[in-house]
Amino acid sequence: MTFLLSVLVFSPILGILLLLLTSKQHESNLKMFGFIGTVPPLLVSLILYQYYASGASLADFTIKNNWIRFGNLSQYDAKLFTVDYELAIDGFSLVLVLMTALLTSLAAFASHSIKKEWKGYFVLLLFLEIGMLGVFTAQNLVLFFLFFELTLISAFFLVGKWGFAEKEKAAYSFLLYNGIGSAILLIVIMILFARAGTTNIQALTHIITIGGVPTIAPISATMKYALLVGLVAAFAIKLPIFPMHRWMVMVHVEAPTPIVMLHAGVLLKIGAYGMIRFGMGIFPEQFKSVAIYLAVLGVINFLYGAFMAFIQTDFKRVLAYSSISHMGVVLIGLGSLQAAGVQGAVFQVVSHGLIAALLFYLVGIIQEKTDTSLISDLGGLAKTVPRLSGWLLAGSFASLGLPGMSGFVSEFLAFLGLFKSEPWLAAIGSIGIVMTAVYMLRAVLDITFGKEKEKYEHLTDLNWLQQIPAGILLLLIVSIGVYPSLLGEPLQRTLDAIMIGIGR
Amino acid sequence: MDLQTMLNYHWEAMIPEFIILGTTVLLTLLDLFWPPYIKRRRLAWIGLIGILLSLLSLLAVLPIEVVSILDDSFRLDSFAKAFKMLLLVGAAFVMLLAESYEPKEGMKEQRGEFYYLFLTALLGAMIMTSSGDLITLFIGLELLSISSYILAGIRKHHTASNEAAMKYVISGGISTAITLFGMSYLYGLTGSTNLKAMSIIMKETVDTQFLYLFGLAFFMVLVGLSFKIASAPFHMWAPDVYQGAPIPVTAFLSVVSKTAGFAIILRILLSLYREVWGDAVGAFSFFESNSIYIAFLAGITMIIGNVVALRQRNLKRLFAYSSIAHAGYLLVAFATLGGQYFLFDTFWFYLLAYLFMNLGAFAVIQVVSGNTEQEGIDMLTGLYQRSPWLAVAMGISILSLAGIPGTAGFIAKVSIFLGAFAVDPGFYVLAAIMAGTTVISYIYYFGILVQLFLRSSIIQTKPKVPAGINILVAVCVLMTILFGLAPNIALDFFHQHFGDLLDF
């Protein structure tokens, strides 16, 4: 069974080969193959879920092979300074892998709006998928970093080539901010590697939390704090945390919509994943003492994002700032250090992934039809394109946290956690919940029920094919909202492990 | 020394050098006696065969133990073998580049010398790697330098080329003088020019006044030799010479000459100073108490190289600064001494990776600039549309130069980081500068990628790629990726054949 994870991560290569063999001009074939390329990972991840649901242990899928060995020290310890090719999956990863595979398929489906160079586009999209799937399954930091950078490079080109007017500027700022993040991350990884002689996550957790293992050079208590702060800073840029968010707004506005679906849906979540998996996982002691700062930053993010979203005139910007605001919820949950809070944070990771993908999918269609995403230019769409407006309203309800949808569950849990640990902070933060409703409804109601614009009278509504992605996403959002255990159950063991780590 | 002892020497240790020498003589004679209608371009192939034969003979002498002939002035130890291998592979590639080199004004008269001067330079470099005596080291250095001076100015009717040669000679002369001055101190203090004899005297010295002079000599030699590796403070020749010299010469300087420069730095400074005391009581070693100064040079070099590269529009000039930056990264490994565990393999692997990625890039530059008759960055604009293969090859080389995971450049950088952190206290500031300047380097490296892939070209002519260049580019790209994904092919070869260079 161990091959299944390798198949999962590298199956997009099949699609890449198919694409490379197709002629550059064959638009419809390229689009079809591009979509087909995303199907195998989706199937494999569904098979994995099937195994999991039928009670099999996910640990059976762990794969571990020798890969790189630095230095000439094998006479002391065969594993010293080695990096293995090791992939594994647990409930948390499984959920994210499922989400990634699904969103990539939907993004490939939504890529019919791409106008040029389909071949390069889909090849890069599939490379991006390999990177994203690898990030969530890698079991050591070097391998994680490799996949992480793969997402960076492919996203750089996808934004820079197929984006809107300011695409190159957006791609550059994406590259630089994330480059700084990766540089910090690389230093942290290298210090751990050089001192501990390994980058395996489990081994590192053991060395940092329990100790008693001889290391190449000591890892002092201060250094542990410094390493954690480095990790958090690196992933904070990815998440992003105010004031390092500007690149993300640019990317959301300038990138082609299928890529924004993936960016908001999955790539931002890598930041949250890294914080939970590496920050909380490897440095639980140290994480406890920085948690309060994270909670404060989370509240700032939540309020700042909401406020900025309120004053935007471009709907894509509203959504971008809404993403920043919602990522604040992740921090609030993590910073609470309560079981409920952390669970809320993880829920938010998944829930926002689905909601953001849904909303950006719809915005992409609106922009394709009307050539604008300015709120003032749009209006009265409910009359002309009722189905599109309906989906949009549903998406915005999900985003503002309407009970019965996934957004509500995650925000509720995150704030529940924070109210337990820092009631005052949580009280301030909860203002943001109201603001979310205000900015979301302002924007969406203006678009759907606002003053009708004559030029949009002849818009065609969504056909049934275009409604499928929206339907799938909304179905998941509502399912999680109505029956949170759907998500809570796979996550339970990971969460338990984290909570034991931080001693709650 | 009578004839008998001469004949009893293990001359087989010098076979690689003899082959190069023989090929050089053969080429000069052929150039002289061949009738004019025979194209001198064929000499390149003969030269290439000579280099490959020499490489084969080097592989044949790999298993033999350390050989020291001519009163210890020529040593064939693991260090020499390892670095000669790099030099020969690099020179073979440069020869392939030179074969198809065709400047605008033609080079009918000088084509013969163009080829055999590469060989004399190579011979000098090879002698540098395996000298055990200051005198022969210096002879090797001068042989390399003087041949390179002529090569830089080989385009007699081209102003920039002449200017480059002139600048190269003058700054080369100054730096040689400084090196020699430093060496004269060493000779004066130890009374010998034999490295082994010198190091025995030096490590027994505890007199602080002597130690002070040792320090002075160390930095004079290092600063003087920084000319060869193009690091601060003797880096300023690089941009002008790289820009003015013919492209194969530029490639030679940035790869072979730089490798030789690092070989001589390691040879002289490491073998003499590794066991010298840093103070009178012997509490510190020389490197421990002086690494801060080397680190300073490394830091300055990285900053200058990467920051000034941002403003360059001429591609060869940009690569000059990039090569300065890479010298800086390698000096980091020298300052940290690779944390004891990662010294020689780091240098060797980095130079190997650098060889492939840099020569791959230069090959593409030569083809494209021959095709477009430009040297600015914009000659690469839209290369992806004109020649996808060249663009992808260039792209991979650039990604490797930028140190993106999945390429050899990343593994090389990881090695340096490991060395910087494996000691206590680690070289945090230096490593942070390295990581920071790497992010800065993304700006100009990705600037090239933007030109290659994201912009569309004005020029429509497809570049014609000679077969030799095609092979060269293919090998370079293949190796860059192979050593990035499976670096142990190279690292294990190194450890298996050269060990930890204990016989250094």
Side-chain angles (χ1 to χ4, degrees):
Chain A
M1 296 313 289
T2 55
F3 62 92
L4 210 56
L5 281 181
S6 291
V7 173
L8 169 75
V9 174
F10 292 105
S11 53
I13 287 179
L14 278 179
I16 292 175
L17 291 178
L18 259 180
L19 286 166
L20 289 181
L21 294 175
T22 315
S23 144
K24 237 171 26 181
Q25 315 297 338
H26 255 283
E27 182 183 343
S28 56
N29 275 8
L30 286 169
K31 283 180 176 171
M32 188 172 69
F33 289 148
F35 176 71
I36 288 175
T38 65
V39 173
L42 184 60
L43 285 180
V44 176
S45 55
L46 286 174
I47 292 172
L48 281 169
Y49 185 74
Q50 185 54 40
Y51 270 110
Y52 170 77
S54 65
S57 161
L58 286 174
D60 292 346
F61 296 107
T62 306
I63 179 169
K64 193 177 173 91
N65 290 322
N66 290 336
W67 184 30
I68 305 178
R69 189 163 58 85
F70 289 98
N72 194 18
L73 302 160
S74 51
Q75 71 264 36
Y76 304 112
D77 182 347
K79 296 307 271 177
L80 201 56
F81 288 115
T82 55
V83 179
D84 289 337
Y85 167 74
E86 42 191 339
L87 300 176
I89 198 165
D90 63 0
F92 186 21
S93 299
L94 177 65
V95 170
L96 290 173
V97 161
L98 271 169
M99 186 171 86
T100 306
L102 176 70
L103 289 188
T104 318
S105 286
L106 296 183
F109 182 83
S111 296
H112 55 78
S113 57
I114 297 298
K115 297 276 182 292
K116 57 170 186 184
E117 310 227 5
W118 308 277
K119 190 169 180 172
Y121 173 84
F122 283 107
V123 167
L124 283 169
L125 184 73
L126 291 174
F127 269 119
L128 182 64
E129 180 168 29
I130 295 178
M132 292 187 297
L133 292 170
V135 157
F136 294 131
T137 48
Q139 285 305 294
N140 67 55
L141 293 171
V142 173
L143 195 59
F144 171 85
F145 191 73
L146 191 145
F147 287 121
F148 187 69
E149 293 289 286
L150 185 59
T151 65
L152 179 67
I153 304 299
S154 28
F156 170 80
F157 285 114
L158 285 168
V159 175
K161 180 118 195 171
W162 288 273
F164 296 98
E166 303 242 320
K167 52 196 176 186
E168 276 185 26
K169 212 170 143 203
Y172 255 105
S173 83
F174 170 73
L175 177 79
L176 283 187
Y177 273 96
N178 284 283
I180 293 167
S182 344
I184 300 172
L185 184 61
L186 182 65
I187 289 184
V188 171
I189 294 174
M190 284 302 126
I191 292 179
L192 284 170
F193 191 21
R195 306 245 147 167
T198 178
T199 58
N200 178 285
I201 294 168
Q202 275 179 349
L204 280 179
T205 311
H206 184 86
I207 290 170
I208 300 289
T209 51
I210 301 166
V213 187
T215 50
I216 309 293
I219 305 176
S220 66
T222 346
M223 186 187 284
K224 286 180 193 170
Y225 278 103
L227 289 175
L228 175 73
V229 171
L231 267 183
V232 170
F235 290 119
I237 296 177
K238 194 85 196 162
L239 197 55
I241 293 181
F242 172 83
M244 292 169 285
H245 61 279
R246 294 194 61 111
W247 66 272
M248 176 270 205
V249 178
M250 280 185 80
V251 168
H252 274 190
V253 176
E254 301 298 338
T257 28
I259 303 308
V260 185
M261 282 171 73
L262 286 180
H263 186 257
V266 184
L267 290 178
L268 298 184
K269 308 307 181 286
I270 296 175
Y273 177 80
M275 264 187 215
I276 296 168
R277 185 71 85 184
F278 307 134
M280 280 183 131
I282 300 180
F283 300 97
E285 268 316 297
Q286 291 72 24
F287 192 89
K288 272 202 288 199
S289 45
V290 302
I292 177 70
Y293 302 108
L294 282 183
V296 172
L297 280 173
V299 169
I300 293 175
N301 244 34
F302 191 49
L303 296 178
Y304 173 81
F307 178 72
M308 290 303 282
F310 184 66
I311 59 172
Q312 299 304 318
T313 51
D314 184 342
F315 190 45
K316 284 207 275 190
R317 281 182 178 270
V318 173
L319 292 183
Y321 279 105
S322 144
S323 283
I324 294 175
S325 176
H326 281 120
M327 287 299 98
V329 176
V330 174
L331 289 177
I332 289 172
L334 294 182
S336 74
L337 289 177
Q338 300 290 327
V342 177
Q343 195 176 16
V346 180
F347 265 63
Q348 177 74 343
V349 167
V350 179
S351 149
H352 179 258
L354 300 172
I355 297 172
L358 172 62
L359 285 171
F360 274 107
Y361 173 69
L362 296 169
V363 173
I365 291 177
I366 292 178
Q367 193 167 20
E368 198 189 339
K369 288 185 189 302
T370 64
D371 269 337
T372 180
S373 58
L374 288 180
I375 299 171
S376 54
D377 279 3
L378 298 162
L381 292 188
K383 270 232 171 90
T384 47
V385 280
R387 274 174 289 195
L388 179 59
S389 307
W391 289 112
L392 191 63
L393 273 173
S396 64
F397 286 148
S399 181
L400 60 83
L402 194 75
M405 289 169 141
S406 64
F408 171 74
V409 184
S410 50
E411 277 178 28
F412 177 77
L413 285 171
F415 273 98
L416 187 65
L418 196 64
F419 266 112
K420 259 188 206 162
S421 56
E422 306 289 339
W424 280 108
L425 199 57
I428 299 171
S430 49
I431 301 170
I433 300 179
V434 184
M435 285 170 72
T436 312
V438 174
Y439 73 73
M440 213 60 208
L441 289 178
R442 173 192 77 104
V444 174
L445 291 182
D446 265 7
I447 290 175
T448 48
F449 295 111
K451 196 163 172 289
E452 274 177 59
K453 299 276 188 303
E454 273 179 28
K455 55 183 167 181
Y456 301 136
E457 265 174 15
H458 306 292
L459 289 186
T460 46
D461 207 351
L462 296 183
N463 56 31
W464 64 272
L465 203 61
Q466 285 172 314
Q467 294 189 66
I468 292 177
I472 295 173
L473 288 170
L474 198 62
L475 180 70
L476 286 171
I477 293 168
V478 173
S479 317
I480 294 172
V482 178
Y483 186 64
S485 298
L486 190 70
L487 194 55
E489 204 239 342
L491 297 175
Q492 198 52 49
R493 287 184 59 184
T494 316
L495 287 175
D496 286 347
I498 291 171
M499 294 323 287
I500 291 169
I502 58 176
R504 295 286 165 101
Chain B
M1 193 187 291
D2 55 25
L3 190 66
Q4 195 55 40
T5 27
M6 282 289 277
L7 289 176
N8 279 343
Y9 279 140
H10 290 281
W11 290 109
E12 71 268 17
M14 270 180 107
I15 289 178
E17 276 84 357
F18 284 137
I19 292 178
I20 295 295
L21 184 62
T23 319
T24 316
V25 173
L26 180 69
L27 288 193
T28 49
L29 291 178
L30 285 178
D31 190 28
L32 195 61
F33 292 116
W34 263 0
Y37 59 84
I38 298 184
K39 282 208 176 121
R40 293 298 185 262
R41 203 170 263 215
R42 294 188 188 164
L43 292 175
W45 294 109
I46 301 176
L48 183 65
I49 291 168
I51 295 174
L52 292 179
L53 279 180
S54 172
L55 190 60
L56 276 180
S57 68
L58 181 68
L59 290 176
V61 297
L62 271 190
I64 63 173
E65 294 286 303
V66 182
V67 178
S68 166
I69 56 176
L70 296 172
D71 258 350
D72 225 13
S73 65
F74 185 92
R75 285 170 59 83
L76 187 72
D77 49 16
S78 308
F79 177 83
K81 291 176 203 159
F83 276 84
K84 268 181 210 171
M85 189 168 284
L86 295 180
L87 294 174
L88 285 168
V89 174
F93 285 168
V94 170
M95 212 52 159
L96 265 180
L97 267 185
E99 192 271 332
S100 64
Y101 180 64
E102 191 63 62
K104 265 202 296 274
E105 74 276 8
M107 55 182 317
K108 207 165 176 358
E109 297 158 33
Q110 306 92 18
R111 201 171 267 281
E113 35 201 282
F114 186 50
Y115 296 129
Y116 54 75
L117 280 172
F118 277 121
L119 293 180
T120 50
L122 172 65
L123 186 64
M126 286 167 76
I127 290 173
M128 278 157 77
T129 60
S130 62
S131 289
D133 196 287
L134 286 185
I135 304 285
T136 42
L137 268 175
F138 185 70
I139 290 173
L141 180 66
E142 282 305 280
L143 185 54
L144 170 64
S145 303
I146 293 172
S147 313
S148 324
Y149 299 152
I150 308 173
L151 278 173
I154 198 107
R155 291 172 73 176
K156 283 188 189 161
H157 306 294
H158 189 262
T159 331
S161 180
N162 282 313
E163 185 192 327
M166 200 61 202
K167 282 184 175 158
Y168 198 26
V169 172
I170 292 171
S171 51
I174 297 170
S175 71
T176 310
I178 294 176
T179 312
L180 269 185
F181 197 21
M183 285 182 180
S184 72
Y185 271 109
L186 288 174
Y187 174 66
L189 291 167
T190 59
S192 167
T193 58
N194 184 294
L195 292 179
K196 205 155 235 172
M198 291 166 84
S199 75
I200 292 169
I201 298 171
M202 285 172 71
K203 69 182 164 202
E204 283 163 0
T205 311
V206 284
D207 188 325
T208 39
Q209 295 202 332
F210 274 38
L211 289 176
Y212 171 72
L213 287 175
F214 281 157
L216 195 67
F218 179 91
F219 282 101
M220 282 193 149
V221 174
L222 180 63
V223 164
L225 289 177
S226 73
F227 168 75
K228 272 274 145 258
I229 59 172
S231 70
F234 273 112
H235 61 279
M236 269 326 291
W237 61 274
D240 290 329
V241 175
Y242 275 42
Q243 186 180 358
I247 292 175
V249 178
T250 311
F252 182 85
L253 292 179
S254 76
V255 172
V256 181
S257 178
K258 193 186 285 269
T259 307
F262 274 106
I264 190 173
I265 285 180
L266 292 176
R267 183 60 106 174
I268 299 186
L269 297 179
L270 268 190
S271 63
L272 289 184
Y273 283 89
R274 200 138 61 142
E275 289 167 69
V276 172
W277 295 120
D279 55 8
V281 282
F284 296 102
S285 71
F286 180 84
F287 273 105
E288 274 171 341
S289 46
N290 287 296
S291 61
I292 179 81
Y293 305 110
I294 311 172
F296 176 76
L297 287 180
I300 289 286
T301 308
M302 291 187 286
I303 292 172
I304 291 177
N306 282 316
V307 172
V308 185
L310 294 177
R311 307 284 307 162
Q312 304 308 319
R313 303 304 303 165
N314 180 298
L315 204 53
K316 281 158 83 186
R317 227 177 153 75
L318 190 147
F319 266 80
Y321 283 104
S322 137
S323 123
I324 293 173
H326 282 273
Y329 303 147
L330 271 165
L331 276 182
V332 172
F334 187 59
T336 61
L337 283 185
Q340 296 163 23
Y341 306 119
F342 309 99
L343 182 55
F344 290 112
D345 48 358
T346 302
F347 272 101
W348 189 79
F349 189 85
Y350 201 108
L351 288 166
L352 181 75
Y354 187 66
L355 189 161
F356 288 119
M357 58 205 190
N358 223 21
L359 285 180
F362 271 116
V364 176
I365 292 175
Q366 176 171 318
V367 173
V368 179
S369 82
N371 172 243
T372 58
E373 299 192 348
Q374 288 178 21
E375 283 192 344
I377 285 186
D378 34 359
M379 77 179 189
L380 294 175
T381 306
L383 184 64
Y384 180 67
Q385 293 163 357
R386 280 179 279 153
S387 167
W389 154 237
L390 283 184
V392 168
M394 183 77 179
I396 289 169
S397 303
I398 294 287
L399 286 177
S400 182
L401 283 166
I404 300 294
T407 59
F410 172 68
I411 303 289
K413 274 211 177 104
V414 165
S415 272
I416 293 180
F417 274 121
L418 282 182
F421 294 133
V423 281
D424 195 51
F427 290 78
Y428 302 114
V429 178
L430 193 56
I433 294 177
M434 182 167 158
T437 49
T438 303
V439 176
I440 294 176
S441 77
Y442 284 0
I443 300 177
Y444 60 87
Y445 285 134
F446 278 77
I448 298 178
L449 292 181
V450 164
Q451 297 289 346
L452 282 172
F453 296 104
L454 304 192
R455 304 269 169 88
S456 27
S457 65
I458 312 152
I459 312 154
Q460 291 301 334
T461 46
K462 284 194 173 183
K464 247 180 72 187
V465 193
I469 301 275
N470 250 337
I471 296 170
L472 170 60
V473 172
V475 172
C476 286
V477 168
L478 192 71
M479 290 298 166
T480 303
I481 292 179
L482 184 70
F483 291 153
L485 294 177
N488 276 88
I489 295 174
L491 286 171
D492 286 347
F493 178 84
F494 181 86
H495 292 306
Q496 191 185 336
H497 289 281
F498 312 123
D500 284 330
L501 264 53
L502 295 174
D503 52 2
F504 175 57

